[in-house]
Amino acid sequence: MKIKTIAIVTSLVALVVLVIVGIYVITSEKSDKGAKKDITSFEECAEAGYPIMESYPEQCAANGKTFTRDIGNEMEKYDLVRISSPRPGEEVGNNFSLEGQARGYWFFEATFPVSLESDDGEVIAET
C-alpha cells in the first residue's frame, strides 16, 4: 500500500513539473516572437504585426522602441500647403488628382510648383 502511494505521488509531481515546463516554453515562444528580428523602421514594425498607434504621423512600438511613419516634410509645410489627396505613403496610379489648400504669398494666380518623387527620392515629374 505504501509503495502504491509513493508511485502515485511521484507520478503527480512529474505531471505537475511537465505542465509547468510546457507553460514556460509556450509563453517564452510567444514573447520572443517579434524579438527574433531586429526591427529598425516603421515598415518593419508594421509588417511584424505590432500595433499601429492612432497618431499623426502613425507610430509603431516594438521591443521598447517607437518608430514613426515617414511622411516627408508635410509637417514643416503645414502652414503653407495642406494636401488632402493623395496622402503621404499612399500609392497612386498613372492618373491621379492632387487636392488640397495653399495659403500665403509664395504662389501667384493659384500656380505653384509641384514635384512627384519615388520612395527613394527620385523626381518622377515636376510641374
Side-chain angles (χ1 to χ4, degrees):
M1 183 83 152
K2 194 172 189 181
I3 295 175
K4 189 175 183 182
T5 305
I6 292 173
I8 292 173
V9 170
T10 304
S11 298
L12 288 175
V13 169
L15 182 63
V16 169
V17 168
L18 285 174
V19 168
I20 290 172
V21 169
I23 290 172
Y24 174 77
V25 168
I26 290 171
T27 57
S28 67
E29 285 178 3
K30 286 182 181 178
S31 65
D32 292 343
K33 188 177 182 181
K36 291 181 181 176
K37 182 180 178 191
D38 191 26
I39 307 285
T40 59
S41 69
F42 175 85
E43 289 75 18
E44 290 176 1
C45 181
E47 287 175 11
Y50 289 98
I52 297 173
M53 299 176 211
E54 292 184 21
S55 61
Y56 191 77
E58 294 172 309
Q59 297 180 345
C60 182
N63 303 332
K65 297 179 185 175
T66 301
F67 303 94
T68 303
R69 180 187 293 272
D70 180 16
I71 59 168
N73 65 350
E74 180 180 7
M75 299 310 284
E76 296 170 16
K77 307 295 182 187
Y78 191 74
D79 288 338
L80 299 174
V81 176
R82 295 181 186 170
I83 298 174
S84 56
S85 175
R87 299 301 303 142
E90 183 178 337
E91 292 186 22
V92 294
N94 291 336
N95 297 317
F96 66 94
S97 296
L98 179 65
E99 298 176 15
Q101 299 174 339
R103 62 179 239 170
Y105 55 86
W106 59 275
F107 60 91
F108 179 70
E109 293 182 357
T111 303
F112 52 88
V114 174
S115 66
L116 178 64
E117 299 178 2
S118 66
D119 287 338
D120 58 1
E122 179 183 343
V123 176
I124 298 171
E126 288 182 314
T127 184

